[in-house]
Amino acid sequence: SKKPVRVAVTGAAGQIGYALLFRIASGEMLGKDQPVILQLLEIPDEKAQNALKGVIMELEDCAFPLLAGIEAHSDPLQAFKDTDYALLVGARPRGPGMERADLLAANAQIFTAQGKALNAVASRNVKVLVVGNPANTNAYIAMKSAPDLPAKNFTAMLRLDHNRAASQLAAKTGTKVGDIKKLTVWGNHSPTMYADYRFATTNGQSIKALINDQVWNAETFLPTVGKRGAAIIAARGLSSAASAANAAIDHMRDWALGSNGEWVTMGVPSNGEYGIPAGIVFGFPVTTENGEYKIVEGLEIDAFSQECINKTLAELQGEQDGVKHLL
Ligand code: NAI
């Protein structure tokens, strides 16, 4: 049988953690033949550490055959030791009266420390997924704080936006979500993201041609996908957790095990593709194979798409400028 791999998860006692850990432990992320050791990180706060103990008791009680070990930590230098995968979920949420700059600064502190810890102790091939918001900028901060690790191994989660878009398009076209291919979401994980179905197909037919309605695209589809997170908070009183955890599983599984030629969306550092300045962590269409992702290149960007991409890029550059002095 395979040697266990180490999977670190931060914010492990939070909402997303509760929807995520059991699926990792059951083999849904890395395969039903891959044993895992969970290295869980929470803040030192007694309440959080106690909640983490409870989650660990439940993990034990699932008796997952693939779960080869569980560790609870409050120090990233221990939680990230030799880790092969790191899912950075814990972040500082925006509190009442908190300004954007305060939020960026609080998260810059967390992700600088975690990036440095990964740099010091993680596997040299660690695959990092940042879920905690602002996800792209937090991934950028962690990447910049880990100069000895490959920059390309730092990614941000755009997959929830991708899956939300797929679900809306399946409903609109009356087809199955599993039949939708070549969809992507460009840019920031925020309401400015640009979900792009110009190249998408369902059962091999062009979705753009099937829908043939640019007004629906601009005035219904994009706002629905962009504001989906807010709609879920309004309905549930809590932010999306199960769907976010599901997207994290999808992102890591495809990265580790391959997308079989299909496009998926990942937030990854640009190498200058599509005019996005190098280093910006941006949602791109990618294919994945042998543990590596590759940005899909050569797609035509029309005027409407360019405008959308410029908008989400400008927002990201603003965030990046807002943390530069802290790095
Ligand atoms: P939550 O508040 O339920 O849980 C977060 C957990 O992280 C808490 O238990 C907290 O103690 C812990 N934490 C905070 N700082 C930490 C640190 N420095 N080290 C370790 N743990 C730390 O929040 P929830 O619902 O689980 O969401 C987590 C994050 O994911 C939020 O930032 C949220 O905005 C983001 N998110 C991102 C999505 C995406 O698509 N990229 C989708 C949905 C949520």
Side-chain angles (χ1 to χ4, degrees):
S1 63
K2 285 190 178 172
K3 185 171 167 273
V5 294
R6 296 181 171 274
V7 180
V9 179
T10 75
Q15 281 207 92
I16 294 176
Y18 197 69
L20 178 63
L21 298 175
F22 299 85
R23 297 186 60 188
I24 298 173
S26 77
E28 285 182 69
M29 187 170 89
L30 296 173
K32 298 282 182 188
D33 59 346
Q34 178 59 65
V36 294
I37 297 168
L38 289 174
Q39 307 188 155
L40 307 178
L41 181 69
E42 261 295 343
I43 52 175
D45 170 76
E46 196 187 327
K47 218 171 138 221
Q49 288 294 323
N50 270 331
L52 183 56
K53 282 198 190 104
V55 174
I56 290 175
M57 287 190 258
E58 286 204 71
L59 281 163
E60 291 167 352
D61 294 348
C62 290
F64 289 119
L66 290 172
L67 188 52
I70 319 178
E71 304 169 5
H73 296 289
S74 58
D75 177 355
L77 282 167
Q78 290 170 10
F80 297 154
K81 183 97 183 69
D82 297 327
T83 196
D84 302 291
Y85 299 88
L87 291 88
L88 309 187
V89 179
R92 178 73 188 274
R94 191 190 289 240
M98 201 171 175
E99 296 294 332
R100 215 178 90 96
D102 301 333
L103 181 77
L104 282 170
N107 280 298
Q109 208 178 8
I110 294 173
F111 286 87
T112 308
Q114 294 189 357
K116 284 184 180 159
L118 285 164
N119 194 57
V121 299
S123 153
R124 298 300 88 184
N125 299 313
V126 62
K127 287 180 162 59
V128 182
L129 168 62
V130 176
V131 175
N133 279 318
N136 298 54
T137 295
N138 288 341
Y140 173 81
I141 295 166
M143 175 183 87
K144 288 291 178 195
S145 307
D148 303 329
L149 296 173
K152 68 175 168 61
N153 288 17
F154 287 81
T155 68
M157 193 165 91
L158 270 289
R159 186 60 174 264
L160 181 55
D161 308 287
H162 178 110
N163 289 349
R164 285 167 172 167
S167 156
Q168 295 296 321
L169 293 170
K172 177 72 173 172
T173 55
T175 60
K176 287 187 301 228
V177 78
D179 292 331
I180 294 180
K181 320 255 183 229
K182 294 194 165 180
L183 172 67
T184 197
V185 180
W186 304 91
N188 201 5
H189 168 68
S190 94
T192 67
M193 53 94 237
Y194 172 43
D196 182 359
Y197 61 80
R198 291 175 305 136
F199 310 102
T201 60
T202 182
N203 290 316
Q205 283 183 285
S206 160
I207 290 182
K208 187 175 175 219
L210 277 174
I211 295 175
N212 191 27
D213 187 349
Q214 175 57 17
V215 175
W216 180 82
N217 181 26
E219 292 178 12
T220 302
F221 173 70
L222 289 174
T224 301
V225 178
K227 293 180 195 154
R228 187 72 163 180
I232 286 162
I233 293 174
R236 215 172 78 87
L238 288 167
S239 68
S240 14
S243 55
N246 179 69
I249 296 272
D250 284 350
H251 177 118
M252 280 305 209
R253 185 202 53 225
D254 288 343
W255 192 2
L257 305 181
S259 68
N260 301 312
E262 305 299 346
W263 296 13
V264 292
T265 301
M266 290 172 66
V268 304
S270 171
N271 311 293
E273 292 88 350
Y274 298 99
I276 307 305
I280 297 237
V281 178
F282 202 80
F284 285 109
V286 303
T287 55
T288 55
E289 201 181 356
N290 299 326
E292 301 284 340
Y293 62 82
K294 216 169 99 203
I295 296 176
V296 177
E297 294 198 68
L299 300 173
E300 191 205 317
I301 304 298
D302 61 16
F304 177 79
S305 301
Q306 191 63 59
E307 207 179 292
C308 293
I309 287 173
N310 290 348
K311 193 169 120 200
T312 192
L313 173 61
E315 181 185 56
L316 263 177
Q317 286 179 307
E319 287 181 13
Q320 199 176 289
D321 286 345
V323 296
K324 238 176 210 146
H325 64 289
L326 303 166
L327 298 181

